Amino acid sequence: MRKGFFARLAVVNIRKNKQIYVPYILACLFNVAMLYMMLFINHNAGMKTIRHSGDVLMITTMGVGVIVIFSFIFLLYSNSFLMKRRQKELGLYNILGLEKKHISRVMMLENLFSALISFVGGILVGILGSKLALLLLLKLIKVPASFGFEVSVPAIRICLEVFGAIFVLILLVNIRKVYKTNPIQLLHAQNTGEKEPKAKWLMAVAGFICLFIGYYIAITTESPLSALALFFVAVVLVMAGMYLLFTAGSIVVLKVLRWNKKFYYKTKNFTAVSGMLYRMKQNAVGLASICILSTGVLLMISSTVCLNSGLDDIMNKRCPADVNVLYRGNSYEDLEKMREKLLGKIENQVSYEKINTEIAFSSTLVGSEDGSWKFANVDGSSLMAMPASLETLTVVPQEEYARVTGEEISLAPGEVLAYHNGKTDGETLEIHNKVYQVKEWLKNYQYVGDNFSSMDSLKLVVNDEDFFALFLQQEEVYQSAMSLMELETDVYLSGSEEEKYASAIKVSDLASELLDSEKAAGTIEVGMNYSTIKQELYNSFYSMFGGILFLGLLFLMGAAMIIYYKQVSEGYEDKERFEIMQKVGMTHKEVKSSIHRQILMVFFLPLGMAALHIAMAFPMVKRLLALFSMTNSGLFARCTVVTLLVFALVYGVIYGLTAKVYYKIVERK
C-alpha cells in the first residue's frame, strides 16, 4: 500500500463521520480544559502565599481526583457510542480486503489525531479559562486578585499523562473489539433488532428497599455525630437504590404503563413509551449517574451557600471574642496564676474593650434510658462506635460564673445551675450515680471561649466541693491527658479591623511567650492548647466554603456536559427508528411531539429524583451543618430551594438546546 495511505484514510474517516466525531472531540477537549484549570490553581505559586491556602488546595486536589475519575468514565462511555455508530463501516473495510491489523492501524491513527486535537484544543481553552477560574476562586474566598498571565508546565505534563493513558485505554478497547468480532457481525450490528427487556421485579423491589432504608436513616437520625457516621451509609444505599430502580424499576413502570391500553394506544404515548422501553436497559446507568451527580452538585452548592450566608452567625458562636487563649492543666491554682500573669501582660500592652476569663473542665457523657448520665471515654473511638446519646459536659465553679456574669450566687453541695440546649425539664440531674438538685435552669448560658460542640451540651455551675469531686470522677474514667482543667480567656479588642487583627496577633504572641517563660522557670505546670484569632478563623472558613462552592460550580459544568452529550448521542441511536415511523405515515408534528415527550420523560426524571433526594436528605444535612455551628434551618431551606431552582433553570436551557439538536438528527427531510 502507498505510503501515507492509512493516515489519509484516518483523516477521511474523521471528516466523513464529523457528526459523531465532533461531539466526541468536544467532550474530550472540555475534560482536558477542566483538568488543566484545576491543576493550574493547584500549582499556582500565588495560591501558596494566601492565608489558609491549605484548606483551598486540599479541596482543589480532591477536585483533580474527581475530574480524573470522571474523565475516564465519561470518555470511555463516549467512545462506546462512537464505536457503535461505526461498526458497519469497520465491517465493510474487512469485507473489502483490509486485515484486522490494518483496521487496527487506521484506528490507532484516528485515535492519535483525535487525541492531538482534543489535547491541544483543551490546553488552549484551559489556558484562556484558567485565569478566569482563578479570579472566580479568589473572589469566592475573598482574597484580592492580582492580574497577569501564566502557563503551568506541570499542569500540561499531568494532563498529557492522564489523557495519554485514557486514549491508550480507549485504543486497546477498540482494537480488542475489532479482533473479537467477525466482519459479518460488524456489518450487520446496526441492523440487529433489540430484544425487549424483561421486567426484573426482584431488582425493582430491592431498589425500593434500599431507597426506603436510606431515606429512613436520613429522616430519623437525630444526633449530629450519628448523622456524620451514617451519612455515607445512607448515600451508598440511595446510590444502590437508584441504579437498581433505573435499571429494573423503570422497565417495570414502563410495562405497567403499556398494560394501560387507554394510555398506551395513543400515537404520542405509544412511540415514547415503546422507545423508552427498548432503550432503558442501556440508558439506566447513565440516567442513574446523572441523578447522583445532580444530587451531589445540589447538596454541595446549597450547603456551601448556606454556610457562606450564615458565616456571621457561625462566628458569633464559634469565636465571639476577637482573640481567645486556652491553657490546660491539672492544677486549679496554676491556672489561676497564669490568668493573673496573662491579664497583667495584656492590660499593659494591648488596647481592649473587655476581657472575660473562666476556669472550667469539659468531658463527655453518655445517656441511659432512665435519663441519667455517665462519664464516657470516647477518645480514639470511631464515629460509628459512638453512641447516639453522647453529650458534652462543661462544669464551672460558682466563682467563675460570677466573674463572667457579675451575679453573686451561693450553691450548697449537690445544688447546680444547669443549661441544656435551652431546655428547662426536671428538678434533678443524675450524673455518674449522684443526683444533683437543679436550683435554676438557665435560659441563656453566658460562656467564655469556643462554644462549638458537635454534640448536645450540658453545662453545670456548681460549688467548689462538687467541682473537684466531678473532676476526679471523670479523671478516673479518662485516665489520660484529656482529663485537664481549662483556662479560657476572651479578649474583645478596640480599634479598626486592621488594629484589632494586629492586637489579636500580639495577644497570641504574649500568651506563647508567657508559657515559654513559665516552663523555663519550672514554676507552673500548664500547657497551651491553642489561641484562636477571629479574623483568621473567618479567613479559614471563607477559604474552605469558597473552595467547595467553586468545586460545585465546576461539577455543575461537568453535569451539563454529560447530560447534553448523552441526549445528542441518543439522537443518532433513534434516527433510523424515527425515519421508519415517518415512512409509515407519522407527520413531522407527531414526530416532534413524540421526541419532546420522550426527552421530557427521560431528561427530567433524574432532576425529579434529585429533588426528592434533596428533600429526604434535608433533616440529615441540617444536622451535619450543626457540626459547623450552623443551626439556622430557615436559611438552609431557602438556599436549598434557590439552588434547586437555578439548577432546574440550567437543566431547562440544556433541554431546549437538546430538543432542537435531537430533532434535527432524527427528522427525515
Side-chain angles (χ1 to χ4, degrees), residues 5 454 469 667:
F5 170 77
S454 56
E667 184 185 20

Side-chain angles (χ1 to χ4, degrees), residues 16 80 260 312 476 548 553 555 586 642-643:
K16 294 293 184 182
S80 67
N260 186 346
D312 286 339
E476 291 175 3
I548 296 173
L553 294 174
F555 288 169
M586 281 187 70
V642 171
T643 303

Side-chain angles (χ1 to χ4, degrees), residues 70-82:
F70 173 80
S71 298
F72 266 96
I73 296 172
F74 180 61
L75 295 185
L76 285 170
Y77 161 78
S78 304
N79 175 73
S80 67
F81 156 72
L82 183 70

